């Protein structure tokens, strides 16, 4: 059953551990109806019964219209999302509401790729690798993790592609992290397009090593944005509804709109990572604080994520 938000009630068809602390869920329609299509890099929201909404990358096969797969890492500092998934959704037959797939990390056509994964950041890259393999692109994967036991899908990767193109870098076993600067210098020389997903430190290091590269040669996805609502007060105006509201220091645009009685803005994660609150900007300059938009998209200032981003100008007009 699909509700007014587009979320569907799906069945946990299978739940299996695929690494230390990582649970792979296979989700299906209870009536075996086809699910909404998706492309590599997409994610879905799980609308949990404890009131939380969490986004997870789809890591299965886009060619399978009847199954979604997500792999969820049990975060030791979980604020209730991953702990709930591991505790309440680990039994086949359990039902969960799942949002429509969205993709802000899409795979662009290229002849050569370098995929860089850190920990659970391997999940959005798996279908990308399969797509690159299907087009016979020249690709390599560097997959770093805390230990081999904690690295999900390592056996599948080795079995499917061998060691020639897949480099595993478990810190516990090797005693070191991969030399990202050297890897990316080589990737630049070979004209590779880089896709990276992992912890903040890894993504920051990759971005620093790729500074000055042509637009589009590096695409990253972060686990979370730098969430901060600090800043000077400004006014936000909603062009279609006619509502205006002050957004003080310490409050997000979304929070301010809700306080003013506006309940029609779409949102999900409230962390600037899922893209569901993306809103068109009609006037004013956004102060982007999300982990979704590329630098080029930020420079155009056509849209913003209102759950975390603020304004650089005293007045901001949104298409709401």
């Amino acid at each position: 059953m699909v509700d007014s938000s587009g979320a569907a009630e799906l069945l946990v068809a299978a739940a299996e551990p695929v690494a230390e602390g990582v649970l792979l869920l296979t989700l299906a329609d209870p009536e075996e109806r086809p699910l909404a299509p998706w492309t590599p890099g997409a994610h879905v929201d799980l609308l949990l019964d404890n009131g939380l909404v969490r986004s997870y990358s789809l890591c299965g096969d886009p060619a399978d219209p009847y199954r979604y797969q997500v792999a969820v890492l049990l975060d030791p500092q979980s604020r209730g999302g991953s702990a709930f998934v591991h505790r309440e959704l680990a039994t086949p037959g359990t039902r969960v509401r799942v949002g429509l797939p969205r993709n802000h990390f899409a795979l662009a056509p290229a002849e050569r790729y370098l995929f860089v994964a850190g920990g659970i950041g391997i999940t959005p890259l798996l279908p990308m690798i399969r797509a690159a393999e299907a087009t016979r692109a020249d690709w390599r994967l560097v997959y770093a993790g805390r230990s081999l036991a904690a690295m999900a899908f390592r056996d599948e990767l080795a079995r499917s592609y061998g060691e020639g193109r897949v480099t595993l870098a478990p810190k516990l076993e090797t005693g070191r992290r991969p030399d990202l600067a050297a890897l990316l210098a080589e990737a630049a020389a070979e004209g590779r397009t880089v896709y990276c997903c992992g912890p903040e430190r890894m993504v920051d290091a990759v971005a620093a090593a790729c500074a000055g590269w042509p637009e589009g040669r590096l695409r990253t996805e972060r686990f979370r944005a730098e969430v901060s609502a600090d800043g000077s007060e400004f006014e936000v105006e909603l062009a279609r509804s006619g509502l205006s509201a002050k957004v003080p220091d310490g409050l997000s645009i979304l929070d301010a709109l809700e306080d003013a009685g506006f309940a029609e803005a779409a949102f999900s994660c409230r962390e600037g990572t899922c893209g569901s609150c993306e809103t068109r900007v009609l006037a004013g300059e956004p102060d982007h604080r999300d982990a979704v938009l590329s630098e080029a998209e930020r420079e155009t200032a056509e849209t913003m994520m209102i759950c975390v981003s603020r304004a650089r100008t005293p007045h901001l007009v949104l298409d709401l």
Side-chain angles (χ1 to χ4, degrees), residues 41-312:
H43 64 267
V44 292
D45 291 337
L46 300 190
L47 289 71
L48 307 176
D49 286 346
N50 62 359
L52 296 178
V53 179
R54 292 291 183 264
S55 296
Y56 297 104
S57 295
L58 289 166
C59 59
D61 184 359
D64 182 354
Y66 297 100
R67 300 287 185 273
Y68 289 159
Q69 286 190 315
V70 296
V72 180
L73 171 67
L74 180 58
D75 187 344
Q77 299 178 324
S78 173
R79 291 161 296 161
S82 66
F84 182 92
V85 170
H86 277 248
R87 184 179 65 250
E88 304 294 338
L89 301 184
T91 303
T94 307
R95 307 227 176 175
V96 60
R97 290 173 62 223
V98 181
L100 291 171
R102 293 190 303 274
N103 199 341
H104 289 276
F105 191 44
L107 182 68
E111 293 183 359
R112 298 180 180 86
Y113 296 100
L114 172 63
F115 299 105
V116 182
I120 199 64
I122 188 63
T123 51
L125 303 185
L126 287 175
M128 291 186 182
I129 290 169
R130 296 187 193 107
E133 181 75 0
T135 61
R136 298 185 178 180
D138 177 1
W139 63 267
R140 288 183 58 201
L141 167 68
V142 176
Y143 179 12
R146 175 172 48 84
S147 66
L148 276 174
M151 297 171 70
F153 308 109
R154 67 185 187 281
D155 293 336
E156 174 188 328
L157 288 163
R159 183 171 58 250
S160 299
Y161 307 115
E163 296 182 359
R165 288 179 291 177
V166 177
T167 300
L168 300 181
K171 188 174 185 298
L172 182 64
E173 285 81 0
T174 64
R176 63 184 184 277
R177 293 186 174 90
D179 187 344
L180 294 176
L183 287 166
L184 291 161
E186 183 179 354
E190 295 173 346
R192 294 184 185 272
T193 296
V194 177
Y195 281 78
C196 173
C197 182
E200 264 326 275
R201 181 163 62 176
M202 167 179 275
V203 177
D204 287 344
V206 168
C210 296
W213 283 27
E215 178 65 30
R217 286 275 304 282
L218 169 66
R219 294 294 308 276
T220 62
E221 184 169 71
R222 298 174 184 266
F223 294 156
R224 56 177 59 91
E226 291 292 334
V227 180
S228 169
D230 296 343
S232 302
E233 180 178 273
F234 61 94
E235 182 180 51
V236 61
E237 177 187 344
L238 307 187
R240 283 188 278 129
S241 68
L243 177 72
S244 292
K246 296 289 186 182
V247 184
D249 176 29
L251 208 63
S252 73
I253 294 175
L254 180 60
D255 289 335
L257 293 179
E258 289 178 332
D259 288 350
F262 185 78
E264 297 176 33
F267 67 91
S268 177
C269 71
R270 289 186 180 265
E271 295 182 337
T273 58
C274 74
S276 62
C277 71
E278 185 172 10
T279 302
R280 217 160 56 97
V281 178
L282 302 180
E285 183 183 354
D287 178 6
H288 296 290
R289 303 185 183 188
D290 64 277
V292 176
L293 297 176
S294 67
E295 285 304 315
E297 290 169 330
R298 291 183 175 203
E299 289 176 9
T300 65
E302 293 179 351
T303 66
M304 68 185 300
M305 307 301 156
I306 62 172
C307 72
V308 291
S309 298
R310 293 180 61 83
R312 298 185 185 278

